[in-house]
Amino acid sequence: MSKKGIETLVGLFVLLGLAGLVFLSLKAANLASFGQRDSYVVSARFDNIGGLKQRAPVRSAGVTVGRVTRIGLDGTTYQGVVTMEIDRDVQFPRDTSAKILTSGLLGDQYIGLEPGAEEKPLAAGDVIKMTQSAVVLENLISQFLFNRAAEQSDGGSK
């Protein structure tokens, strides 16, 4: 094989490696889907959204059914408003509940949807009324430590 042929193959190999790196970085950033999917938009209000980010997955029964498109603050109720795009082929009942959950112990946060029993489905623009805010690990630890300190001070004074 000539020197020019080897250089061409090496160049092709480098280009394939760069394409693979671009693909992996897009997958890691949840940007791999460039096309518009057929979806409808719903929103939910939470007292605390924790570390939820835009483009976070929306899952039901462990299956990704949508993405978080926008996170904002309601100026009157001071609640976090999360807007989600749900795949059109998945229709949830109107009494569906939404929770902010964490993948693993310290993983990324996502929205978990639990379908209700009502027959009417969610429509575009609906607001999910039943929500559960994110569990913040720091709050749990401080509450545990506060309760321990209170128990010890009660036990020492008796």
Side-chain angles (χ1 to χ4, degrees):
M1 188 177 263
S2 70
K3 186 175 180 181
K4 190 171 186 170
I6 292 174
E7 288 175 354
T8 304
L9 285 176
V10 169
L12 210 69
F13 182 74
V14 169
L15 284 176
L16 283 174
L18 287 174
L21 284 175
V22 168
F23 176 76
L24 285 175
S25 63
L26 290 175
K27 279 298 241 186
N30 287 327
L31 299 173
S33 58
F34 293 111
Q36 288 289 334
R37 299 173 83 179
D38 192 20
S39 60
Y40 59 100
V41 176
V42 296
S43 61
R45 296 173 180 270
F46 296 93
D47 292 328
N48 185 350
I49 64 160
L52 188 70
K53 297 179 179 93
Q54 283 185 321
R55 306 278 312 152
V58 177
R59 296 181 180 149
S60 182
V63 178
T64 301
V65 295
R67 294 264 174 226
V68 172
T69 56
R70 193 169 149 266
I71 298 172
L73 182 69
D74 185 342
T76 56
T77 62
Y78 300 105
Q79 288 182 311
V81 180
V82 177
T83 306
M84 303 165 263
E85 281 186 354
I86 309 295
D87 294 342
R88 176 85 48 202
D89 57 343
V90 181
Q91 294 291 321
F92 287 97
R94 283 202 174 193
D95 59 346
T96 295
S97 64
K99 298 178 183 179
I100 298 178
L101 302 169
T102 305
S103 298
L105 185 60
L106 299 173
D108 288 334
Q109 291 188 321
Y110 65 94
I111 301 283
L113 297 179
E114 289 188 23
E118 193 171 317
E119 290 188 25
K120 279 189 167 186
L122 279 172
D126 281 352
V127 177
I128 297 174
K129 305 228 184 309
M130 293 181 286
T131 61
Q132 181 179 332
S133 295
V135 176
V136 181
L137 190 60
E138 292 85 5
N139 291 348
L140 288 175
I141 292 170
S142 65
Q143 190 175 25
F144 174 76
L145 293 175
F146 178 76
N147 287 341
R148 278 287 191 201
E151 286 175 4
Q152 288 182 351
S153 67
D154 288 344
S157 63
K158 288 186 179 180

